[in-house]
Amino acid sequence: MQENQEFKKNRFSLFEEMNTVLDSWNGTPETGPEIISQMKTLIHEVQQLQELPLTLEEEQLLREIYKKETRIVAVMEVAKEEIAQELRGMNKNKAIVQNYVYPQKTPTFVNQEL
């Protein structure tokens, strides 16, 4: 019985640490990968623990964690799409420059009857 209480205490402290890591995010996509990396480590630690039913406090904390993590993922996806659009624009500009600098030569046919 005491072992289960110790386990729940350890699991709850990991959830609190996850929440703290998410709270440390400054809202920019640049810092998102670092937060995600830290979260992966903590998630791995939680997965190593024995499974027992969640307490009400743990459920509430996990809901908060989920909301915060969802915001990070949304910001990262928007940034990813913006970068993809910039890359497409750069590729288009590159093609325009190449066509201007290296214009396509039209084939010349020689009329041999002349």
Side-chain angles (χ1 to χ4, degrees), residues 21-22 24-38 72 75-76:
V21 166
L22 290 170
S24 71
W25 181 53
N26 66 5
T28 64
E30 293 79 18
T31 57
E34 176 62 29
I35 298 296
I36 290 171
S37 175
Q38 291 175 12
I72 291 175
V75 168
M76 300 279 297

Side-chain angles (χ1 to χ4, degrees), residues 10-20 46 54 58-59 61-62 65:
N10 188 27
R11 184 172 66 182
F12 188 76
S13 66
L14 282 172
F15 291 160
E16 285 180 322
E17 189 174 348
M18 292 169 83
N19 199 29
T20 302
V46 169
L54 295 173
E58 288 173 332
E59 284 183 29
L61 193 52
L62 282 176
I65 289 169

Side-chain angles (χ1 to χ4, degrees), residues 42-89:
L42 293 170
I43 289 169
H44 181 71
E45 287 181 41
V46 169
Q47 288 174 337
Q48 300 304 313
L49 297 175
Q50 172 189 27
E51 287 190 30
L52 289 176
L54 295 173
T55 65
L56 185 58
E57 287 178 315
E58 288 173 332
E59 284 183 29
Q60 290 173 342
L61 193 52
L62 282 176
R63 283 189 191 105
E64 287 180 40
I65 289 169
Y66 176 76
K67 288 177 188 176
K68 292 173 185 178
E69 204 166 34
T70 302
R71 276 188 264 142
I72 291 175
V73 170
V75 168
M76 300 279 297
E77 285 181 358
V78 168
K80 177 182 169 185
E81 182 58 34
E82 289 172 355
I83 291 170
Q85 285 179 356
E86 286 179 25
L87 285 173
R88 284 191 292 271

